[in-house]
């Protein structure tokens, strides 16, 4: 896992062959996951061929959270008659190769750091922390941001500051590499890439400034939580609720949404079965329903507000940071063209 | 309960294509396990054996479109402790309910040479005539939902069947979204099919009926804003679940607005 503070290290340069060699070297010890283009879709998946990994593509359809918690997972098997030992998830994790995330965007890295607060903070989720602790992260700095991005609003991009083992910035046919942790430093030293020239370094600085300039969409975070709390009855919420289909797609693709539900699936013998966990969403009716059928968020406007208030108010109250990293996935995903940047601007 | 202590199961057919019953028979792999857990007492499509009621759990396939079927469904209700509408015809009127927007005599004349031989009424869901305890959505039903329901009835708990929007299920499978190209009905349609159609590159046509609390008015506005005509939107709403109350209200409101514009 990347350390919290960046280790000042030299920048090294690899060409395409060197970069692919790096991935191959990593594959010896790790299961390497990264963005792959499949037709029009960009999917985060395990890489077999290093050339398939793309560092210049839009955000993956589902974000990195899916490697820590699959959309559906079996937690354990049970028997109704006698307590039966579940397959130990800790043992399973230990048997599997540790994970390497390669080519993830800085916003997604920030999202992982936010999910760490949720799953390894006050409550510790063993499965999450087991997978997370061993992860080697190569973040890919964005030199050409995409149309919905607004990471600069939350300082989560376009270049990563900390939390990675290596950072890669692609400049034409060169891959500029910089370690961000002792593990990254060791790994890079073994590969022995040449040091970057002073013109490479100058280009790196220009690339970051250029990327920042391209991101014009912005959420004004100044006093945002207070502003939201003072505007719970603002007319914009009804307008959003008129358009929102409460389909939940925006929460499925959001890298910081973490809600799940748990269910038991019984086998036909009616004795044995398994307990499963599914991702869910506060936008669906069932989410807030309690025993005997009461639902405090029966009205659409309440569900719509829950999503945006959680991101921009409650998350901040709980963790001192906003629960959005500005990746733009929800904007790209929403069929009704709802966009938090536009919605929150209406409150100003 | 039967003499051997196993719950008795019945399957009835009204106006339908028998595709949902076929889905039950498609459960080959587990059919023996099902037969081990329940006594299939009345299932004319599958077996000549027809034990008399009462039954513990009954499935009704098909829409109610004939006076004789009204009687049949009332009998089924009396015979079954738990009555389930099997598939979208029984649950929402299904494809047969497309006829409801035309006068009955016109439908009969269009299809039959001798309309005077026909004794047909508007296609209605089973719940129009009797209380149903559960519905299984889909055209046809999803086999794993069928099993989920049977198991829940057998141990006496409420089944967990998806009622939220298909988009959530579809996005979690990382399908490319078809909405902009096709006006996919997924956003307002109930999940539970595993996003079968979008997964195969085909738009959802809404066969599972509206998701719980679906924003049908908002969806109609969205489709129109994307260039679909009012007629297109109404056709989509009335294809599989036109007789479902929220769909019926939405489609009627759209038609009324158009007529009085
Ligand atoms: S994707 Fe859009 S329509 Fe769907 S729940 Fe989110 S905001 Fe609403
Ligand atoms: S709310 Fe939207 S922009 Fe923010 S992190 Fe989630 S998906 Fe990305
Ligand atoms: S409550 Fe809603 S917005 Fe918050 S994490 Fe859960 S699904 Fe996402
Ligand atoms: S393809 Fe259809 S069901 Fe899938 S996300 Fe898009 S609108 Fe929803």
């Amino acid at each position: 896992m990347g350390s919290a503070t960046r280790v000042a290290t030299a920048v090294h340069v690899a060409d395409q062959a060197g970069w692919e060699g790096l991935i191959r070297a990593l594959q010896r010890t790790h299961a390497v996951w990264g963005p792959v283009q499949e037709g029009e879709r960009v999917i985060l998946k395990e890489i077999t061929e290093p050339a398939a990994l793309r560092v210049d593509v839009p955000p993956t359809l589902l974000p990195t959270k899916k490697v820590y918690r699959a959309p559906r997972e079996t937690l354990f098997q049970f028997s109704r008659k006698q307590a039966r030992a579940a397959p130990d998830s800790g043992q399973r994790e230990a048997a599997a190769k540790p994970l390497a995330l390669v080519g993830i965007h800085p916003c997604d890295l920030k999202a992982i750091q936010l999910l760490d607060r949720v799953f390894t903070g006050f409550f510790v989720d063993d499965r999450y922390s087991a997978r997370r602790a061993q992860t080697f992260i190569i973040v890919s700095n964005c030199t050409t941001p995409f149309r919905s991005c607004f990471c600069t609003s939350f300082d989560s991009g376009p270049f990563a500051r900390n939390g990675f083992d290596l950072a890669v910035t692609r400049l034409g046919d060169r891959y500029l590499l910089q370690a961000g942790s002792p593990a990254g430093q060791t790994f890079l030293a073994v590969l022995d890439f040449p040091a970057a020239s002073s013109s490479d370094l100058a280009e790196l600085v220009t690339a970051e400034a250029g990327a920042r300039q391209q991101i014009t969409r912005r959420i004004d975070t100044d006093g945002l939580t207070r502003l939201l709390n003072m505007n719970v009855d603002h007319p914009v919420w009804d307008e959003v609720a008129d358009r929102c289909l409460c389909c939940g797609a925006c929460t499925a693709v959001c890298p910081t949404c973490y809600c799940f539900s748990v269910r038991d699936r019984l086998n036909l013998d009616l004795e044995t079965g398994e307990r499963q966990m599914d991702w869910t969403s506060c936008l669906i009716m069932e989410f807030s329903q309690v025993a005997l059928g009461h639902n405090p968020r029966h009205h659409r406007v309440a569900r719509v507000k829950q999503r945006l208030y959680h991101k921009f108010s409650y998350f901040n109250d709980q963790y001192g940071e906003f629960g959005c990293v500005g990746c733009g996935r929800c904007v790209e995903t929403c069929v009704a063209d709802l966009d938090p940047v536009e919605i929150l601007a209406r409150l100003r | 309960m039967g003499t051997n202590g196993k719950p008795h199961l019945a399957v009835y057919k009204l106006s339908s294509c028998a595709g949902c019953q076929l889905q039950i028979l498609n459960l080959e792999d587990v059919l023996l396990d099902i037969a081990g857990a329940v006594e299939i007492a009345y299932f004319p499509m599958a077996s000549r054996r027809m034990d008399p009621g009462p039954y513990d759990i009954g499935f009704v396939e098909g829409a109610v479109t004939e006076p004789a079927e009204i009687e049949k469904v009332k009998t089924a209700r009396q015979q079954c402790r738990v009555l389930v509408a099997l598939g979208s015809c029984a649950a929402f009127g299904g494809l047969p309910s497309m006829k409801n927007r035309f006068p009955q005599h016109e439908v009969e004349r269009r299809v039959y040479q001798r309309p005077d031989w026909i004794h047909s009424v508007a296609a209605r869901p089973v719940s129009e005539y009797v209380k149903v305890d559960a519905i299984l959505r889909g055209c046809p039903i999803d086999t794993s939902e069928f099993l989920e329901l049977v198991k829940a009835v057998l141990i006496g708990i409420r089944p967990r069947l998806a009622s939220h929007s298909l988009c959530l299920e579809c996005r979690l499978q990382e399908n490319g979204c078809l909405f902009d190209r096709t006006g996919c009905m997924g956003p307002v349609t109930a999940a539970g099919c595993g996003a079968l159609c979008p997964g195969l590159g085909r738009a959802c046509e809404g066969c599972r009926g509206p998701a719980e609390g679906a924003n049908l008015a908002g969806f109609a506005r969205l489709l129109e804003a994307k260039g679909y005509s009012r007629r297109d939107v109404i056709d989509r709403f009335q294809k599989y679940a036109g007789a479902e109350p929220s769909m019926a209200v939405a489609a009627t409101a759209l038609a009324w607005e158009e007529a009085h514009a």
Side-chain angles (χ1 to χ4, degrees):
Chain A
M1 201 196 295
S3 66
T5 47
R6 183 151 155 186
V7 184
T9 55
V11 181
H12 295 264
V13 191
D15 57 10
Q16 181 67 29
W19 167 250
E20 288 176 23
L22 177 153
I23 296 173
R24 227 168 262 122
L26 199 53
Q27 280 175 323
R28 275 185 227 123
T29 46
H30 289 73
V32 176
W33 285 59
V36 170
Q37 178 105 41
E38 291 185 349
E40 289 172 18
R41 304 175 310 154
V42 180
I43 312 269
L44 178 69
K45 61 191 290 191
E46 187 168 354
I47 306 290
T48 43
E49 257 315 300
L53 192 147
R54 299 280 301 272
V55 297
D56 53 355
V57 283
T60 52
L61 285 181
L62 286 184
T64 45
K65 65 178 179 181
K66 82 170 191 186
V67 302
Y68 295 119
R69 284 172 171 275
R72 169 168 293 169
E73 277 188 21
T74 298
L75 297 176
F76 56 81
Q77 272 140 18
F78 62 82
S79 161
R80 288 214 296 167
K81 277 222 182 87
Q82 82 200 86
R84 202 173 64 186
D88 186 87
S89 64
Q91 274 174 18
R92 236 190 21 209
E93 301 305 337
K97 264 192 189 175
L99 181 73
L101 288 172
V102 179
I104 64 167
H105 293 188
C107 54
D108 281 354
L109 174 58
K110 178 68 185 286
I112 294 175
Q113 293 172 312
L114 292 177
L115 288 188
D116 286 348
R117 313 279 300 261
V118 177
F119 289 122
T120 64
F122 189 70
F123 297 105
V124 178
D125 181 309
D126 294 340
R127 296 161 75 84
Y128 178 97
S129 28
R131 291 174 194 177
R132 175 69 180 101
Q134 329 167 339
T135 313
F136 189 86
I137 292 179
I138 305 185
V139 69
S140 166
N141 289 324
C142 295
T143 53
T144 49
F146 305 90
R147 61 179 176 188
S148 296
C149 299
F150 55 102
C151 56
T152 45
S153 302
F154 303 104
D155 202 25
S156 53
F159 276 45
R161 312 232 158 274
N162 57 44
F164 53 84
D165 296 296
L166 286 183
V168 60
T169 312
R170 190 174 171 178
L171 298 174
D173 52 5
R174 283 158 301 152
Y175 292 80
L176 270 58
L177 298 158
Q178 198 167 12
S181 74
Q185 223 162 5
T186 312
F187 182 68
L188 206 52
V190 174
L191 289 164
D192 206 20
F193 292 123
S197 66
S198 55
S199 77
D200 285 334
L201 294 178
E203 239 183 284
L204 196 58
V205 175
T206 320
E208 176 165 3
R212 283 188 174 278
Q213 231 161 36
Q214 289 173 54
I215 300 169
T216 50
R217 288 161 45 75
R218 189 163 189 88
I219 286 179
D220 181 357
T221 55
D222 196 29
L224 180 58
T225 297
R226 188 159 175 272
L227 185 73
L228 277 162
N229 295 347
M230 284 168 54
N231 280 291
V232 286
D233 291 322
H234 195 282
V236 74
W237 303 124
D238 282 324
E239 291 164 31
V240 173
D242 278 347
R243 287 169 58 197
C244 177
L245 307 164
C246 282
C247 68
C250 51
T251 51
V253 301
C254 177
T256 68
C257 273
Y258 51 77
C259 287
F260 59 90
S261 69
V262 171
R263 62 148 73 183
D264 290 340
R265 280 195 184 265
L266 209 55
N267 296 325
L268 258 172
D269 62 13
L270 304 180
E271 284 303 331
T272 59
E274 56 185 37
R275 179 159 293 180
Q276 289 179 339
M277 201 185 68
D278 291 275
W279 286 5
T280 186
S281 165
C282 60
L283 287 153
I284 71 171
M285 199 75 109
E286 180 194 88
F287 183 88
S288 304
Q289 188 172 314
V290 296
L292 300 180
H294 176 66
N295 193 333
R297 299 199 195 106
H298 179 80
H299 293 291
R300 199 156 52 236
V301 66
R303 302 201 293 280
V304 162
K305 278 201 272 188
Q306 165 60 24
R307 171 182 162 233
L308 291 161
Y309 273 77
H310 189 200
K311 299 282 171 223
F312 301 103
S313 171
Y314 314 147
F315 205 96
N316 202 9
D317 292 342
Q318 199 173 356
Y319 299 109
E321 288 185 87
F322 291 103
C324 170
V325 296
C327 71
R329 279 190 182 83
C330 58
V331 184
E332 289 289 318
T333 298
C334 179
V335 297
D337 304 319
L338 289 165
D339 179 350
V341 173
E342 286 170 19
I343 295 167
L344 296 178
R346 291 279 312 280
L347 298 177
R348 296 280 173 185
Chain B
M1 293 282 168
T3 43
N4 53 9
K6 281 197 280 185
H8 278 196
L9 180 144
V11 183
Y12 305 82
K13 182 183 184 303
L14 309 177
S15 292
S16 57
C17 74
C20 289
Q21 295 186 75
L22 201 58
Q23 283 289 79
I24 301 177
L25 297 175
N26 280 343
L27 280 164
E28 282 167 10
D29 296 347
V30 291
L31 219 45
L32 281 177
D33 294 325
I34 299 176
V38 299
E39 197 71 45
I40 300 175
Y42 176 85
F43 191 175
M45 184 168 135
S47 155
R48 244 170 309 180
R49 172 180 164 191
M50 292 189 207
D51 293 351
Y55 312 112
D56 296 279
I57 172 167
F59 293 90
V60 182
E61 180 200 74
V64 183
T65 57
E66 281 178 12
E69 288 174 344
I70 300 176
E71 295 315 310
K72 193 168 174 183
V73 83
K74 286 182 176 170
T75 308
R77 176 71 274 186
Q78 277 171 358
Q79 289 177 321
C80 301
R81 186 171 62 81
V82 173
L83 193 72
V84 182
L86 181 76
S88 287
C89 292
F92 311 123
L95 286 174
S97 71
M98 269 196 288
K99 73 169 182 171
N100 293 357
R101 75 173 95 153
F102 308 103
Q104 180 65 29
H105 65 86
E106 213 178 290
V107 178
E108 289 175 14
R109 214 179 36 218
R110 253 203 237 181
V111 180
Y112 299 100
Q113 283 186 322
R114 295 285 307 270
D116 53 315
W117 287 0
I118 305 303
H119 303 284
S120 173
V121 293
R124 308 295 305 168
V126 171
S127 60
E128 174 82 12
Y129 296 100
V130 297
K131 179 176 163 287
V132 298
D133 301 301
I135 62 167
L136 283 174
R137 299 163 179 270
C139 183
I141 55 152
D142 179 84
T143 49
S144 58
E145 285 202 324
F146 173 81
L147 289 175
E148 167 75 16
L149 187 124
V150 169
K151 287 182 283 191
V153 172
L154 290 178
I155 60 167
I157 60 167
R158 189 144 42 135
R160 288 258 324 246
L161 303 172
S163 61
H164 59 73
S165 155
L166 178 62
C167 293
L168 184 58
E169 196 168 38
C170 186
R171 298 287 183 173
L172 292 181
Q173 293 179 19
E174 303 180 294
N175 296 325
C177 182
L178 302 165
F179 180 78
D180 283 342
R181 244 172 294 159
T182 63
C184 180
M185 286 286 283
V188 291
T189 301
C193 58
L196 193 59
C197 294
L200 295 168
R202 299 288 305 259
C204 168
E205 299 198 0
C207 89
R208 296 176 58 81
E212 190 182 8
N215 181 359
L216 295 170
F219 190 60
R221 281 194 298 273
L222 175 64
L223 285 175
E224 290 192 352
K226 299 271 175 191
Y228 294 88
S229 69
R230 178 61 58 100
R231 192 67 291 185
D232 277 346
V233 176
I234 295 174
D235 283 351
R236 276 156 196 262
F237 281 21
Q238 291 188 327
K239 188 161 184 181
Y240 283 95
E244 188 280 335
S246 67
M247 277 287 195
V249 168
T252 308
L254 290 169
W256 190 89
E257 219 178 71
E258 189 185 34
H260 296 78

